[in-house]
Every structure is written in structure tokens, then in C-alpha cells.
Amino acid sequence: MPVEQQRGAEMRWVHTAVIVVLAVAFLIFALQNLQSVTVAFLGFGITAPLALLFLVIYLLGMATGGSAWTLIRWAWQGSRHPEVAQK
């Protein structure tokens, strides 16, 4: 087996292990935090289990974080090449 394929296989195991550890940690968190909490923002309120709110906020952060990073990178590259913006 070539070295590159062996490293790729090893990294797959590392990634799988990290995902399993995070999933188990979240499962433990969810089971220990079954009580409902109320979150209010700008006059809106929602009552849900803490673990569910944690999951929703995490997923929203993933979605918006990637978009924000893309916007920042686009703005940075545009500011470095002003001649492209003038065309």
C-alpha cells in the first residue's frame, strides 16, 4: 500500500474517532439536560429542551459561519485587487 493511501486510511480513522467522541459527548449532554428552558430575543420566546436548543444553535452557527467566512474572504480579495472592481 502506498504511503499516501496509508495516511489517508489513518486519517479516516482519526476523523471517525473524533466524530464518535463528539457524538457521545453530545448524547451525554442531551441526556443530562432534559429540562426545558426559555430563550427570548426581540420579543420572541421559545421554550424547548436545552439539548434541542443547543443543537439548533450549533447548526445555525455552522451554516452562517461558513457564509460569513466566504463573505470576508471575498471582501478581502476584492480589496487587494481594486482594478477588478473598476471594470
Side-chain angles (χ1 to χ4, degrees):
M1 179 184 264
V3 174
E4 294 85 21
Q5 285 182 340
Q6 186 176 0
R7 284 188 183 163
E10 291 171 358
M11 288 308 294
R12 276 192 291 274
W13 282 108
V14 170
H15 291 151
T16 302
V18 169
I19 290 170
V20 168
V21 167
L22 290 175
V24 169
F26 180 76
L27 183 61
I28 292 169
F29 175 82
L31 292 174
Q32 290 182 348
N33 294 284
L34 294 176
Q35 70 273 14
S36 291
V37 295
T38 300
V39 176
F41 182 70
L42 296 176
F44 298 101
I46 184 169
T47 301
L50 181 61
L52 179 63
L53 291 174
F54 180 81
L55 180 64
V56 168
I57 290 169
Y58 178 76
L59 293 174
L60 286 172
M62 283 178 34
T64 58
S67 299
W69 180 249
T70 301
L71 179 64
I72 290 168
R73 186 174 49 212
W74 172 78
W76 176 260
Q77 289 174 351
S79 68
R80 293 180 68 205
H81 302 291
E83 65 277 356
V84 174
Q86 293 174 357
K87 289 183 180 180

